[in-house]
Amino acid sequence: MAVGYNPQQIEGKWQRRWAEDKLYQVTEDDTRRKWYALTMFPYTSGDLHIGHWYAMVPADVHARFKRMQGCNVLHPMGFDAFGLPAENAAIKRGIHPFTWTMQNIANMRRQLKSIGAIYDWSREVITCLPEYYKWTQWFFLKLYEAGLAYRDKAPVNWCANCQTVLANEQVVNGFCERCGTVVTRRDLAQWFFRITRYADELRQHDGLDWPERIKIMQRNWVGKSLGAEIAFSLDHPGVSEKEIRVFTTRPDTVFGVTFMVLAPEHPLLAKLVAPERRAEVEAYIERSRRRTDIERLATEREKEGMFVGAYVVNPLNGEKVPIWTADYVLMSYGTGAVMGVPAHDERDFAFAKKYSLPIPVVIAPPGWQGEELKEAYTEPGVMVNSGRFNGLSSESGIAAVCDYLEEKGWGKRAVSYRLRDWLISRQRYWGAPIPIVYCERCGIVPVPESSLPVLLPENAEFKPTGESPLKYCPEFVNTTCPRCSAPARRETDTMDTFMCSSWYFLRYASPDYEAAPFEADKLDYWLPVDLYTGGAEHAVMHLFYARFFVKALRDMGLVSFGEPFQRLFNQGVIIVERQKMSKSRGNVINPDEYVAELGADAVRAYLMFVAPWEQGGEWDDSGLSGISRWLNRLWHLVLEGYDPGEAVGAEARAEAERALARITHQTTRKVTGDLERIRFNVMISALMEFTNYLAKVKEAGSVGKDAWAGSIRTLLLLLAPTAPHLAEELWQRLGYDYSIHNQRWPEWDEALAKDEEVTLVLQVNGKLRDRITVPVSIIEEEAKELARGSKKVQLYLEDKRIIREIYVPGKLLNIVVK
RNA sequence: GCCGAAGUGGCGGAAGUGGUAGACGCGACAGUCUCAAAAACUGUUGGAGAGCAAUCUCCGUGUCGGUUCGAGUCCGACCUUCGGCACCA
């Protein structure tokens, strides 16, 4: 009897050996196909919980598989280290964000090493270190030079009591999470990136192997609409603007306009408000400033608005149109003004009903007899009550109205996007400082590249209230102008952390390079990423920003590719007691104790098995012990020795060996395919079935020693990516050469994997009546004959007439009778 | 609210293109071993019903309807749960 499986004794040993041998360190190698397998790097929150393992382990298994297939695999790891929680810890517990972050990294690195992954730790990147954020700042300068960075006013969440800017997360139902004060919007000058310049390209995913749903989400995020901009003329005493432009996707409905709505933030609003309405309208604007965009756009909420007391004129029919303001119109979309066509837009309909505005029909629904509409008709139709355009279909009407607008100079065809420019300014300490200086004489001056990095001052004060600590740090703020050397002030905002994560995958190619963010030939070798894995919560923001970054760099000539991630895969979430893990619920599963008890290999295999990776599943201790039992059985199966039974005849032995070869080759084929297609849970099932089959073979002693050894060897190779320590140990104990992880992935032979017999299902009228075992080579006529010979089938054919027979080779025969 | 997913035994899940529903595992039950228990091993296990029995019949993939010889899979409507919504990352 072999000594039992004891993961504690083997896992640490092999991890040390692999590290000593630098088994997983990689360099560029033109003789092998490169494979860049990237997992989204973790935020430095403190502890690695089982959810992190769920992101890392299957990705590592796949990377190991590619490595055994002969690829030169880069599988790096690093830390997303700037961000709000570090600053909160500073305020709450008086610990410096740098200290807090680096302590967390030390702990997380230790935990990550216990996974037994093939991370090349010599390439680790940490975004909060000056060596890294120097280049984050450098990219800001490049984008600024390229005209992709600009300054503009934008609202922030403002708590008047704390005198501070709040993240959306810190606003709970419109109140400050700390002090309960009502949160308002406040306009600040902030930095933006012109991501909208790339809107059209970002909608395209040509040649990318991405989940369809993510591509759809990104396209919807861009939200491209074709339509027209129409100028309604304005003649208001004391206002110089002579028109208000609206964007509409339905220029064919322009004759049905009965009101215009301006966003509460619209710059003309204040100038147009009639004196007797001013108080009311201003109160309304104030109220809407407290609402989030989500609330404002909710179609279920009752539409509320205010008449401004001014009018514009519809250029197409000369009608006077009252101007309203309502917060369902956003300043960030289109022109911040919409034309109200109640008959043909649901929101406008509800609005007009509430305020008793007329609802003239200008697009006739099918069979319309001139009656009033009970609800908005938003489908295309035939234009009516539309002057010269009457009788046109919506489709040709849109073109005709656009032509007419352009001819008269009243408007033009236009495209509008839901996508907004990327606001990167954060009024916080723990981020990369924006490398800009404000000089009274020269204005906005970028910090020269040679002066990078703009270091974060270490001695900033973390008051529980106030703005960015950088504002109160004179030695940081006060500087001299790089251009004219006059006294100047530094920008005190730091950059959005999405900025750090928009290029980290480039840094892994040459993490220590000092002359530039990356070394060109190494970048050319490794990039783009072949398989990027991470949570679906990043479907739009992180993935979108990273794509924008790479496209901008390509246009600057810095990189030669336009897409960072060739294949994308999103894993699901591990839940506990049907709930998402969170510190506040107190249901966070720490993997350390499970690793100590059952071993990293068992935890790895369990996470692979628990559910389809993209779906996620429930953490369950007893499921884990089931996996542990399997690995234990496998250990004994391999080490206990094998005795071929003496009583087995030569013919039976040959037959048993043929069967074993068939199962071995079928398993190899299945496991390979499942790894390729990222279907890890069924891959583990296949390995379990293979183990069970081998256990039966062993009990019977039905095959020869060589056949047995060959199948065991294949089993270990197939197991190696999932349970790397166990496979290495068994490999060594069987006397094979170190290391199993340098072996070639097994191949299969289709001829040997082929089944000799199949089960043919016999149905009558689609109901299963019998099954028969037939040779795979059976032809249709033979199958039909066998079916008629089946007593069970005959029972259902009595007194019936056969109408049809449907034969699916190798699957079934369905006899349709009457 | 809008956008995007997912609903299959007591539980996690399996069934690449419509063709044996419930693989594999957990749990439960029974047995072997033991003074006993744990561990391990063996067997049974979707529900209802019939039969001494091998076995047989019917019902079953969130709900309702449709297409088809045949639907977990395709189509339509609805219900529930989950992810994102631009300063959590």
Side-chain angles (χ1 to χ4, degrees):
Chain A
M1 186 85 179
V3 177
Y5 168 47
N6 190 344
Q8 296 80 5
Q9 280 176 7
I10 63 176
E11 292 186 349
K13 177 181 78 180
W14 288 115
Q15 282 171 18
R16 280 189 297 278
R17 174 89 189 265
W18 297 331
E20 278 163 25
D21 297 345
K22 299 182 170 31
L23 193 67
Y24 303 128
Q25 279 195 22
V26 282
T27 49
E28 299 70 35
D29 174 1
D30 287 326
T31 64
R32 285 183 293 164
R33 185 179 167 204
K34 72 92 183 178
W35 183 263
Y36 187 177
L38 185 64
T39 296
M40 290 177 188
F41 63 170
Y43 175 69
T44 52
S45 54
D47 271 314
L48 218 56
H49 56 68
I50 208 69
H52 290 106
W53 272 61
Y54 197 55
M56 315 291 182
V57 165
D60 177 61
V61 172
H62 191 266
R64 285 178 171 277
F65 163 64
K66 292 313 268 188
R67 198 172 169 279
M68 288 179 79
Q69 279 194 321
C71 292
N72 188 26
V73 175
L74 172 61
H75 191 39
M77 186 45 63
F79 298 95
D80 187 14
F82 273 137
L84 189 61
E87 210 156 323
N88 283 339
I91 293 167
K92 248 195 211 155
R93 314 215 309 261
I95 184 170
H96 193 282
F98 181 81
T99 314
W100 184 84
T101 303
M102 294 313 279
Q103 280 173 0
N104 288 347
I105 287 175
N107 185 46
M108 291 171 78
R109 193 190 287 120
R110 172 191 63 76
Q111 291 183 296
L112 280 163
K113 287 188 176 177
S114 75
I115 290 179
I118 58 168
Y119 302 135
D120 178 352
W121 284 102
S122 69
R123 290 172 184 264
E124 179 191 73
V125 304
I126 297 174
T127 61
C128 69
L129 298 180
E131 302 90 274
Y132 184 88
Y133 72 70
K134 170 182 180 176
W135 300 113
T136 307
Q137 292 173 334
W138 186 86
F139 282 119
F140 176 92
L141 295 177
K142 289 292 152 195
L143 290 162
Y144 181 75
E145 280 168 28
L148 289 167
Y150 66 96
R151 228 159 106 88
D152 196 6
K153 289 215 157 183
V156 293
N157 299 312
W158 180 255
C159 172
N161 183 43
C162 297
Q163 288 284 300
T164 194
V165 174
L166 300 177
N168 287 344
E169 193 191 43
Q170 299 172 301
V171 181
V172 183
N173 300 322
F175 298 95
C176 173
E177 69 166 0
R178 244 178 254 149
C179 67
T181 305
V182 172
V183 174
T184 57
R185 304 292 177 95
R186 189 183 213 207
D187 282 328
L188 293 181
Q190 310 194 65
W191 285 95
F192 289 85
F193 287 152
R194 280 188 214 283
I195 193 170
T196 49
R197 190 175 283 180
Y198 289 87
D200 278 311
E201 210 188 334
L202 288 165
R203 292 176 75 241
Q204 307 292 127
H205 303 84
D206 298 341
L208 294 186
D209 184 3
W210 281 33
E212 206 53 43
R213 65 176 196 277
I214 304 291
K215 293 195 275 188
I216 291 168
M217 277 193 249
Q218 292 206 338
R219 270 201 293 279
N220 291 343
W221 187 256
V222 173
K224 183 178 188 173
S225 306
L226 299 177
E229 234 175 70
I230 304 175
F232 283 66
S233 43
L234 180 69
D235 183 15
H236 197 82
V239 176
S240 55
E241 286 85 352
K242 291 298 166 208
E243 59 181 39
I244 297 179
R245 301 183 83 86
V246 300
F247 174 81
T248 178
T249 57
R250 294 294 302 274
D252 55 320
T253 65
V254 68
F255 284 83
V257 174
T258 56
F259 59 99
M260 173 183 277
V261 186
L262 302 184
E265 300 88 349
H266 199 283
L268 277 177
L269 191 53
K271 299 185 195 173
L272 296 175
V273 180
E276 70 275 13
R277 314 199 70 89
R278 184 163 295 274
E280 229 184 331
V281 170
E282 278 175 1
Y284 179 74
I285 293 171
E286 191 49 40
R287 252 180 290 150
S288 57
R289 285 187 151 260
R290 289 179 202 159
R291 283 196 256 271
T292 64
D293 288 359
I294 294 174
E295 288 172 323
R296 286 173 58 167
L297 290 173
T299 49
E300 222 169 46
R301 188 170 65 101
E302 195 176 350
K303 299 292 163 290
E304 195 197 357
M306 290 280 157
F307 177 49
V308 170
Y311 297 84
V312 284
V313 172
N314 184 341
L316 279 108
N317 57 12
E319 275 178 23
K320 205 171 153 192
V321 176
I323 302 174
W324 289 64
T325 181
D327 61 15
Y328 71 88
V329 177
L330 299 183
M331 197 58 219
S332 57
Y333 183 78
T335 59
V338 301
M339 58 186 213
V341 186
H344 307 294
D345 181 278
E346 278 161 32
R347 287 177 312 181
D348 294 347
F349 186 88
F351 195 81
K353 276 279 177 198
K354 174 160 182 175
Y355 295 107
S356 306
L357 296 161
I359 307 178
V361 175
V362 293
I363 302 292
W368 183 67
Q369 297 292 322
E371 70 275 11
E372 272 186 30
L373 295 183
K374 294 201 172 56
E375 55 180 9
Y377 176 74
T378 58
E379 300 297 307
V382 177
M383 291 176 73
V384 293
N385 300 325
S386 297
R388 58 195 296 148
F389 301 102
N390 282 341
L392 291 177
S393 70
S394 286
E395 196 190 347
S396 44
I398 287 172
V401 170
C402 286
D403 286 343
Y404 189 63
L405 288 169
E406 284 169 359
E407 185 191 317
K408 294 282 186 183
W410 294 336
K412 56 172 196 209
R413 286 176 170 78
V415 182
S416 191
Y417 298 95
R418 207 188 73 97
L419 181 70
R420 311 204 291 257
D421 275 339
W422 176 13
L423 195 167
I424 60 141
S425 292
R426 297 291 180 270
Q427 293 71 41
R428 299 188 207 295
Y429 170 77
W430 196 232
I434 295 173
I436 288 286
V437 165
Y438 300 101
C439 168
E440 272 186 32
R441 221 176 302 165
C442 311
I444 296 173
V445 184
V447 173
E449 280 179 36
S450 56
S451 304
L452 295 182
V454 176
L455 286 171
L456 273 176
E458 282 173 33
N459 60 346
E461 286 211 35
F462 298 96
K463 304 180 191 173
T465 63
E467 289 178 75
S468 164
L470 294 179
K471 260 210 158 112
Y472 302 104
C473 187
E475 57 272 42
F476 177 82
V477 175
N478 298 321
T479 184
T480 52
C481 173
R483 217 168 271 166
C484 73
S485 301
R489 296 172 59 79
R490 280 194 196 282
E491 168 66 66
T492 56
D493 283 356
T494 52
M495 288 186 248
D496 181 3
T497 54
F498 278 125
M499 180 90 185
C500 311
S501 55
S502 290
W503 73 278
Y504 76 109
F505 45 90
L506 306 177
R507 187 66 181 167
Y508 284 130
S510 47
D512 302 317
Y513 195 57
E514 288 178 6
F518 46 76
E519 217 173 321
D521 51 337
K522 292 188 174 168
L523 196 79
D524 284 344
Y525 179 82
W526 289 114
L527 273 286
V529 172
D530 295 281
L531 175 60
Y532 193 36
T533 61
E537 67 272 22
H538 293 295
V540 277
M541 307 192 61
H542 160 60
L543 288 169
F544 216 73
Y545 296 138
R547 291 181 65 215
F548 156 69
F549 231 76
V550 163
K551 288 176 193 305
L553 298 188
R554 175 204 56 199
D555 291 347
M556 295 172 202
L558 290 169
V559 304
S560 57
F561 49 94
E563 288 287 351
F565 315 120
Q566 180 53 40
R567 183 177 179 192
L568 176 73
F569 192 92
N570 296 112
Q571 83 268 358
V573 180
I574 288 286
I575 56 169
V576 179
E577 285 148 2
R578 307 175 125 194
Q579 289 188 306
K580 207 180 159 179
M581 264 184 283
S582 76
K583 279 187 184 165
S584 55
R585 287 198 188 92
N587 62 350
V588 175
I589 301 286
N590 185 325
D592 291 1
E593 49 193 285
Y594 293 99
V595 172
E597 195 192 333
L598 298 171
D601 283 339
V603 178
R604 289 174 65 105
Y606 174 67
L607 291 173
M608 296 284 281
F609 182 62
V610 66
W613 198 28
E614 71 272 25
Q615 187 185 306
E618 175 113 15
W619 178 263
D620 172 24
D621 286 7
S622 51
L624 176 62
S625 56
I627 287 285
S628 191
R629 280 206 284 270
W630 167 55
L631 294 180
N632 213 28
R633 278 201 305 276
L634 195 147
W635 171 274
H636 289 291
L637 180 76
V638 172
L639 292 181
E640 271 170 11
Y642 175 76
D643 283 321
E646 280 163 29
V648 180
E651 207 172 301
R653 175 136 291 165
E655 170 62 35
E657 291 189 358
R658 238 186 4 259
L660 177 60
R662 186 163 61 239
I663 299 289
T664 306
H665 284 256
Q666 282 178 350
T667 304
T668 305
R669 179 175 63 191
K670 172 139 182 62
V671 168
T672 307
D674 287 342
L675 281 166
E676 212 71 79
R677 279 154 42 218
I678 307 191
R679 294 164 42 80
F680 299 141
N681 57 328
V682 287
M683 174 199 78
I684 301 289
S685 299
L687 288 176
M688 285 174 169
E689 283 180 87
F690 190 34
T691 313
N692 294 345
Y693 185 83
L694 285 167
K696 290 219 166 71
V697 169
K698 184 177 172 186
E699 203 176 318
S702 54
V703 304
K705 277 205 150 178
D706 289 350
W708 174 260
S711 287
I712 289 291
R713 185 177 184 277
T714 302
L715 172 66
L716 292 183
L717 290 168
L718 297 178
L719 183 72
T722 301
H725 315 86
L726 174 61
E728 185 80 288
E729 180 74 17
L730 292 174
W731 187 256
Q732 187 199 42
R733 290 194 185 210
L734 290 184
Y736 293 114
D737 288 341
Y738 175 82
S739 155
I740 191 172
H741 303 299
N742 285 338
Q743 303 303 311
R744 281 309 291 262
W745 187 252
E747 314 241 316
W748 71 92
D749 183 333
E750 280 295 345
L752 293 176
K754 207 172 170 190
D755 277 315
E756 288 168 9
E757 290 182 323
V758 290
T759 303
L760 193 71
V761 168
L762 304 180
Q763 296 183 334
V764 180
N765 283 348
K767 294 214 172 194
L768 183 133
R769 295 306 175 192
D770 200 4
R771 301 164 221 254
I772 52 175
T773 303
V774 299
V776 272
S777 56
I778 194 167
I779 59 166
E780 187 168 349
E781 281 315 310
E782 292 170 333
K784 284 181 180 167
E785 208 152 302
L786 284 170
R788 285 186 206 108
S790 158
K791 281 193 185 116
K792 289 175 187 168
V793 170
Q794 280 169 5
L795 218 64
Y796 293 90
L797 296 183
E798 270 171 35
D799 305 325
K800 299 277 164 66
R801 192 160 52 86
I802 295 175
I803 303 173
R804 246 173 106 178
E805 283 173 306
I806 292 141
Y807 179 67
V808 184
K811 284 268 167 64
L812 61 72
L813 178 70
N814 185 16
I815 302 171
V816 185
V817 298
K818 220 174 181 174

